[in-house]
Amino acid sequence: MQSIAQAQKKPGEGEGMESDFCKKLRPIGRRLETEGYYVWGTSPVEGPDGKIHVFYSRWPKEYGMGGWIHKSEIAHAVASTPESEFNYVSTVLAPRGEGFWDGSTCHNPHIKFVDGKYCLFYMGNANRKTDTKRVGLAVADSPWGPWKRPDHFLIDASKDDKAWDSHCTSNPSFVKSPEGQYRLYYKSWNTEEYENYTDPKVRGNRKYGLAIAESLQGPYVKYAGNPVIDYSNRPGKNVQAEDAYVWFEEDKYKMVMRDMGIFNHQYGLYTESKDGINWREPQIAYYQTDHYFRQPPAPRHLSKYGRFERPQLLLQNGKPAYLFLTTQGGAYMTSSTFVFKIG
């Protein structure tokens, strides 16, 4: 990657739709470029030692981009500051094998410090396919572990084939409400739409649901009005969104996620809600990679080259301080973390 600089806007880019969140982003650069691995979905938290701990997905380069579904593990890395280089510590969650709900992959980590515990929400599957993706929670007293792994997932897919979330539960985002509710947002889609597609690039419509518990470990009960994020009726070809990250700030719930058709498939989305259920019209949260830096032409094996995915925030004093994203490319032409300072 060449020198990083704030790029000039392209004609028409963000006209009237750029969020204040987007305006505050300052690119820092790639991190966790790891020889021999794809790196994906980096979630940060500040530890009691003052260091920045990140939990991220990775899988061997030999399996290509599709290795996330059957070879991903969740690793731990540490840096002295959010802008420093991160050093790999260990793999904390790896696939457990046949008979376990997370037997064939561990992916999309989401770390939160809740009730004095480090809570590592993640997605696992049991058959190397999407229809067994489920959300689980590993817990530790320290970001260094040890981690207590769950025997069972937190949220199951709907048993009703016609339901919007009959296929899976995935891509978790957690927030504890001011009233003390434990709120878990999750992505899903309908199995029938997924299996009977007409366009192989559009298989089902990704939406977000909410499940609520009175204690951290659950049980989590799905909100009756789900899904709470549903863009399927908007003009365009199967408009949807994924990779939500939710937090509470200034008496509002706030969310960043990946755009899948509202503006395009390259941007991020930002939205707010007073109740965490009814969300405002989304604005732009971030742009595509070439808005912020230059890189070589796209190689043939990286079909998602040029866009950011899996937004996760480092919250400091309850406010977003850094945005962690993932993007293809980098020194080894696989994928790596990319960090933005906010403000």
Side-chain angles (χ1 to χ4, degrees):
M1 182 176 68
Q2 300 179 24
S3 61
I4 299 170
Q6 187 77 29
Q8 294 296 316
K9 285 187 182 180
K10 299 176 182 178
E13 192 173 66
E15 290 180 349
M17 293 303 298
E18 186 177 84
S19 66
D20 288 341
F21 179 92
C22 183
K23 295 172 184 176
K24 295 177 182 179
L25 297 180
R26 302 292 180 265
I28 302 301
R30 286 188 183 270
R31 295 293 185 268
L32 288 170
E33 295 178 278
T34 307
E35 187 171 9
Y37 282 90
Y38 283 81
V39 167
W40 207 254
T42 304
S43 190
V45 68
E46 187 169 0
D49 51 9
K51 296 182 183 297
I52 307 303
H53 298 254
V54 295
F55 296 85
Y56 61 100
S57 303
R58 70 174 197 169
W59 62 92
K61 178 180 179 180
E62 65 199 76
Y63 295 102
M65 188 65 206
W68 71 269
I69 191 67
H70 61 90
K71 287 294 181 182
S72 182
E73 62 184 20
I74 295 174
H76 174 206
V78 180
S80 56
T81 73
E83 300 183 23
S84 303
E85 293 295 332
F86 285 85
N87 296 309
Y88 169 82
V89 176
S90 65
T91 294
V92 296
L93 296 174
R96 289 190 276 187
E98 187 174 352
F100 291 94
W101 72 270
D102 54 359
S104 50
T105 208
C106 296
H107 195 59
N108 284 351
H110 175 67
I111 186 74
K112 285 291 185 76
F113 184 65
V114 186
D115 298 346
K117 300 285 186 181
Y118 289 88
C119 301
L120 186 54
F121 299 88
Y122 68 105
M123 178 276 290
N125 71 4
N127 65 351
R128 301 163 58 96
K129 298 178 181 179
T130 58
D131 63 344
T132 58
K133 292 199 302 181
R134 299 292 186 270
V135 169
L137 169 63
V139 176
D141 293 327
S142 163
W144 298 99
W147 294 91
K148 183 179 180 181
R149 294 184 70 158
D151 293 329
H152 197 67
F153 44 79
L154 291 179
I155 313 174
D156 201 358
S158 174
K159 303 303 182 184
D160 180 358
D161 291 342
K162 296 181 180 180
W164 76 275
D165 61 349
S166 62
H167 195 74
C168 61
T169 64
S170 184
N171 295 28
S173 184
F174 174 89
V175 62
K176 187 176 180 181
S177 77
E179 300 78 24
Q181 285 185 332
Y182 297 81
R183 293 186 165 207
L184 186 55
Y185 294 82
Y186 66 99
K187 182 185 81 171
S188 191
W189 61 92
N190 177 266
T191 294
E192 183 177 351
E193 293 176 1
Y194 181 77
E195 293 179 347
N196 298 291
Y197 62 90
T198 56
D199 183 344
K201 293 183 178 180
V202 182
R203 300 185 64 181
N205 190 281
R206 275 69 178 164
K207 302 169 187 176
Y208 260 84
L210 167 64
I212 301 173
E214 299 303 319
S215 64
L216 178 62
Q217 299 285 358
Y220 284 83
V221 179
K222 294 179 182 180
Y223 169 62
N226 278 340
V228 296
I229 295 290
D230 180 359
Y231 297 134
S232 61
N233 291 324
R234 296 176 69 100
K237 185 178 181 181
N238 204 296
V239 179
Q240 49 190 307
E242 67 171 1
D243 291 347
Y245 182 101
V246 183
W247 74 104
F248 190 84
E249 178 192 9
E250 299 173 339
D251 296 323
K252 288 181 286 190
Y253 293 88
K254 300 181 179 183
M255 180 189 294
V256 289
M257 52 188 161
R258 185 173 88 82
D259 189 0
M260 298 179 72
I262 291 179
F263 296 103
N264 52 44
H265 283 254
Q266 309 301 319
Y267 290 1
L269 301 175
Y270 173 88
T271 182
E272 298 179 349
S273 171
K274 291 296 292 184
D275 58 8
I277 294 169
N278 300 287
W279 295 85
R280 289 176 50 187
E281 181 72 7
Q283 297 176 290
I284 297 168
Y286 52 83
Y287 293 105
Q288 72 282 357
T289 60
D290 66 9
H291 181 86
Y292 303 104
F293 61 90
R294 295 183 298 274
Q295 56 186 347
R300 294 181 64 182
H301 70 286
L302 296 180
S303 62
K304 300 179 180 181
Y305 197 75
R307 76 185 187 214
F308 293 113
E309 299 195 26
R310 293 295 301 155
Q312 298 282 297
L313 294 175
L314 176 64
L315 300 175
Q316 295 182 318
N317 299 317
K319 296 183 179 296
Y322 287 85
L323 172 65
F324 284 65
L325 293 155
T326 191
T327 186
Q328 292 182 338
Y332 305 106
M333 279 298 161
T334 51
S335 58
S336 72
T337 304
F338 195 96
V339 180
F340 285 88
K341 182 177 176 62
I342 303 172

